[in-house]
Coordinates of all heavy atoms in Angstrom, one line a residue:
Chain B
Y232 N 105.3 79.7 95.1 CA 104.9 80.8 96.1 C 105.4 82.2 95.6 O 104.7 83.1 95.6 CB 105.5 80.4 97.4 CG 105.2 81.4 98.6 CD1 104.0 81.5 99.3 CD2 106.3 82.3 98.9 CE1 103.8 82.4 100.2 CE2 106.0 83.3 100.0 CZ 104.8 83.3 100.7 OH 104.7 84.2 101.7
R233 N 106.7 82.0 95.2 CA 107.4 83.3 94.7 C 106.6 83.8 93.5 O 106.3 85.0 93.4 CB 108.7 83.0 94.4 CG 109.7 84.2 94.1 CD 111.1 83.8 93.6 NE 111.8 83.2 94.6 CZ 112.5 83.7 95.6 NH1 112.6 85.1 95.5 NH2 113.2 83.1 96.5
K234 N 106.3 82.9 92.6 CA 105.6 83.4 91.3 C 104.3 83.9 91.6 O 103.8 84.9 91.0 CB 105.5 82.2 90.3 CG 106.8 81.8 89.6 CD 106.5 81.2 88.3 CE 107.8 80.6 87.7 NZ 108.0 79.1 87.8
N235 N 103.5 83.2 92.5 CA 102.2 83.6 92.8 C 102.2 85.0 93.4 O 101.4 85.9 93.1 CB 101.7 82.6 93.8 CG 100.2 82.5 93.8 OD1 99.5 83.6 93.7 ND2 99.6 81.4 94.0
L236 N 103.2 85.3 94.3 CA 103.4 86.6 95.0 C 103.7 87.7 94.0 O 103.1 88.7 94.0 CB 104.4 86.5 96.1 CG 104.1 86.1 97.4 CD1 105.4 86.1 98.2 CD2 103.2 87.1 98.1
I237 N 104.6 87.3 93.0 CA 105.1 88.3 92.1 C 103.8 88.7 91.2 O 103.6 89.9 90.9 CB 106.2 87.8 91.2 CG1 107.5 87.8 92.0 CG2 106.4 88.7 89.9 CD1 108.7 87.2 91.3
R238 N 103.0 87.7 90.9 CA 101.8 88.1 90.0 C 100.9 88.9 90.9 O 100.4 89.9 90.3 CB 101.1 86.7 89.7 CG 99.9 86.9 88.7 CD 99.1 85.5 88.6 NE 98.8 84.9 89.9 CZ 97.8 85.4 90.6 NH1 97.1 86.4 90.3 NH2 97.6 84.9 91.9
Q239 N 100.6 88.6 92.0 CA 99.6 89.4 92.9 C 100.2 90.7 93.2 O 99.4 91.7 93.0 CB 99.2 88.6 94.0 CG 98.2 89.4 94.9 CD 97.5 88.6 96.0 OE1 97.4 87.4 95.9 NE2 97.1 89.3 97.1
I240 N 101.4 90.8 93.7 CA 101.9 92.2 94.1 C 102.0 93.0 92.9 O 101.8 94.2 93.0 CB 103.2 92.0 94.9 CG1 103.1 91.1 96.1 CG2 103.7 93.4 95.3 CD1 104.2 90.9 96.9
S241 N 102.6 92.6 91.8 CA 102.8 93.4 90.6 C 101.5 93.9 90.1 O 101.3 95.1 89.7 CB 103.6 92.8 89.6 OG 103.0 91.7 89.0
Q242 N 100.5 93.0 90.0 CA 99.2 93.4 89.6 C 98.7 94.4 90.5 O 98.0 95.4 90.0 CB 98.3 92.2 89.6 CG 96.9 92.4 89.2 CD 96.1 91.1 89.1 OE1 96.6 90.0 88.8 NE2 94.8 91.2 89.4
H243 N 98.8 94.3 91.7 CA 98.3 95.4 92.7 C 99.1 96.7 92.4 O 98.4 97.8 92.4 CB 98.7 94.9 94.1 CG 97.9 95.6 95.1 ND1 97.6 95.0 96.5 CD2 97.3 96.7 95.2 CE1 97.0 95.9 97.2 NE2 96.8 96.9 96.6
A244 N 100.4 96.7 92.2 CA 101.1 97.8 92.0 C 100.7 98.5 90.6 O 100.5 99.8 90.6 CB 102.6 97.5 91.9
H245 N 100.5 97.6 89.6 CA 100.0 98.2 88.3 C 98.7 98.9 88.5 O 98.4 99.9 87.9 CB 99.9 97.1 87.3 CG 101.2 96.5 87.0 ND1 102.4 97.1 86.9 CD2 101.4 95.2 86.6 CE1 103.4 96.2 86.6 NE2 102.8 95.1 86.4
S246 N 97.9 98.4 89.4 CA 96.5 99.0 89.7 C 96.6 100.4 90.2 O 95.9 101.3 89.9 CB 95.6 98.0 90.5 OG 95.5 96.8 90.0
E247 N 97.5 100.5 91.1 CA 97.7 101.8 91.8 C 98.2 102.8 90.7 O 97.7 104.0 90.8 CB 98.8 101.8 92.8 CG 98.6 100.7 94.0 CD 97.5 101.1 95.0 OE1 97.0 102.3 95.0 OE2 97.2 100.3 95.9
I248 N 99.1 102.5 89.9 CA 99.6 103.3 88.9 C 98.6 103.6 87.8 O 98.4 104.8 87.4 CB 100.9 102.7 88.2 CG1 102.0 102.6 89.3 CG2 101.4 103.6 87.1 CD1 102.4 103.9 90.1
I249 N 97.9 102.6 87.2 CA 97.0 102.8 86.2 C 95.8 103.6 86.8 O 95.2 104.4 86.1 CB 96.6 101.5 85.5 CG1 97.7 100.9 84.8 CG2 95.4 101.7 84.5 CD1 98.2 101.6 83.5
G250 N 95.5 103.3 88.0 CA 94.4 103.9 88.7 C 94.4 105.4 88.8 O 93.4 106.1 89.0
M251 N 95.6 106.0 88.5 CA 95.7 107.4 88.6 C 95.1 108.0 87.4 O 94.7 109.3 87.3 CB 97.2 107.9 88.6 CG 97.9 107.5 90.0 SD 99.6 108.3 90.0 CE 100.5 107.3 89.0
Q252 N 94.9 107.3 86.3 CA 94.5 107.9 85.1 C 93.0 108.4 85.1 O 92.7 109.5 84.7 CB 94.7 107.0 83.9 CG 96.2 106.8 83.5 CD 96.3 106.0 82.2 OE1 95.6 106.2 81.3 NE2 97.3 105.2 82.2
P253 N 92.0 107.5 85.5 CA 90.6 107.9 85.5 C 90.4 109.1 86.4 O 89.7 110.0 86.1 CB 89.8 106.7 86.0 CG 90.8 105.7 86.3 CD 92.2 106.1 85.8
E254 N 91.1 109.3 87.5 CA 91.0 110.4 88.4 C 91.7 111.6 88.0 O 91.3 112.8 88.1 CB 91.3 110.0 89.9 CG 90.4 109.1 90.5 CD 90.8 108.7 91.9 OE1 91.8 108.0 92.0 OE2 90.1 109.1 92.8
G255 N 92.9 111.3 87.4 CA 93.7 112.4 86.9 C 93.0 113.1 85.9 O 93.2 114.4 85.7
N256 N 92.1 112.5 85.1 CA 91.3 113.1 84.1 C 90.5 114.3 84.6 O 90.1 115.2 83.8 CB 90.3 112.0 83.6 CG 89.5 112.4 82.4 OD1 89.8 113.2 81.7 ND2 88.2 111.9 82.5
W257 N 90.3 114.4 85.9 CA 89.4 115.4 86.4 C 90.2 116.4 87.3 O 89.6 117.4 87.7 CB 88.3 114.8 87.3 CG 87.2 114.3 86.4 CD1 87.1 113.1 85.8 CD2 86.1 115.1 85.8 NE1 86.0 113.0 85.1 CE2 85.4 114.3 85.0 CE3 85.7 116.4 86.0 CZ2 84.2 114.7 84.3 CZ3 84.6 116.8 85.3 CH2 83.9 115.9 84.5
I258 N 91.5 116.3 87.4 CA 92.3 117.2 88.3 C 92.1 118.7 87.7 O 91.8 119.7 88.6 CB 93.7 116.9 88.4 CG1 93.8 115.6 89.2 CG2 94.5 118.0 89.1 CD1 95.2 115.1 89.3
T259 N 92.3 118.8 86.5 CA 92.1 120.3 86.0 C 90.7 120.8 85.9 O 90.4 122.0 85.6 CB 92.8 120.3 84.5 OG1 92.0 119.4 83.7 CG2 94.2 120.1 84.5
R260 N 89.7 119.9 86.1 CA 88.3 120.3 86.0 C 87.6 120.2 87.3 O 86.3 120.2 87.3 CB 87.7 119.5 84.8 CG 88.2 119.9 83.5 CD 87.6 119.1 82.4 NE 88.1 117.7 82.5 CZ 87.4 116.6 81.9 NH1 86.3 116.9 81.4 NH2 88.0 115.5 81.9
A261 N 88.3 120.0 88.4 CA 87.6 119.9 89.7 C 86.9 121.1 89.9 O 87.3 122.2 89.5 CB 88.6 119.6 90.8
P262 N 85.7 121.1 90.6 CA 84.7 122.2 90.7 C 85.2 123.4 91.6 O 84.7 124.4 91.6 CB 83.4 121.5 91.1 CG 83.8 120.3 91.8 CD 85.1 119.8 91.1
S263 N 86.2 123.0 92.5 CA 86.6 124.2 93.3 C 88.2 123.9 93.6 O 88.6 122.8 93.3 CB 85.9 124.3 94.6 OG 86.3 123.1 95.5
L264 N 88.8 125.0 94.1 CA 90.2 124.9 94.4 C 90.4 123.7 95.4 O 91.3 122.9 95.4 CB 90.8 126.2 94.9 CG 92.3 126.2 94.9 CD1 93.0 125.9 93.7 CD2 92.8 127.6 95.4
R265 N 89.5 123.7 96.4 CA 89.7 122.8 97.5 C 89.6 121.3 96.9 O 90.4 120.5 97.2 CB 88.5 123.0 98.6 CG 88.5 122.0 99.7 CD 87.4 122.2 100.7 NE 87.3 121.4 101.7 CZ 86.6 120.2 101.7 NH1 86.0 119.9 100.5 NH2 86.5 119.4 102.7
R266 N 88.5 121.0 96.2 CA 88.4 119.8 95.6 C 89.6 119.3 94.7 O 90.0 118.2 94.7 CB 87.2 119.6 94.7 CG 85.8 119.8 95.4 CD 85.3 118.6 96.1 NE 84.1 118.9 96.8 CZ 83.7 118.3 98.0 NH1 84.6 117.4 98.5 NH2 82.6 118.5 98.5
K267 N 90.2 120.3 94.1 CA 91.4 120.1 93.2 C 92.6 119.7 94.1 O 93.2 118.7 93.7 CB 91.7 121.4 92.4 CG 92.8 121.2 91.4 CD 92.8 122.6 90.6 CE 93.8 122.5 89.5 NZ 93.5 123.6 88.5

Side-chain angles (χ1 to χ4, degrees):
Chain B
Y232 176 82
R233 187 184 298 275
K234 280 207 192 105
N235 206 321
L236 271 174
I237 289 178
R238 186 189 50 77
Q239 179 168 332
I240 303 175
S241 69
Q242 179 174 326
H243 197 159
H245 297 326
S246 301
E247 304 285 351
I248 297 300
I249 296 294
M251 290 193 283
Q252 290 187 40
E254 288 180 293
N256 184 33
W257 281 91
I258 291 176
T259 55
R260 290 175 289 159
S263 70
L264 190 56
R265 176 180 179 275
R266 297 276 180 216
K267 184 177 187 161

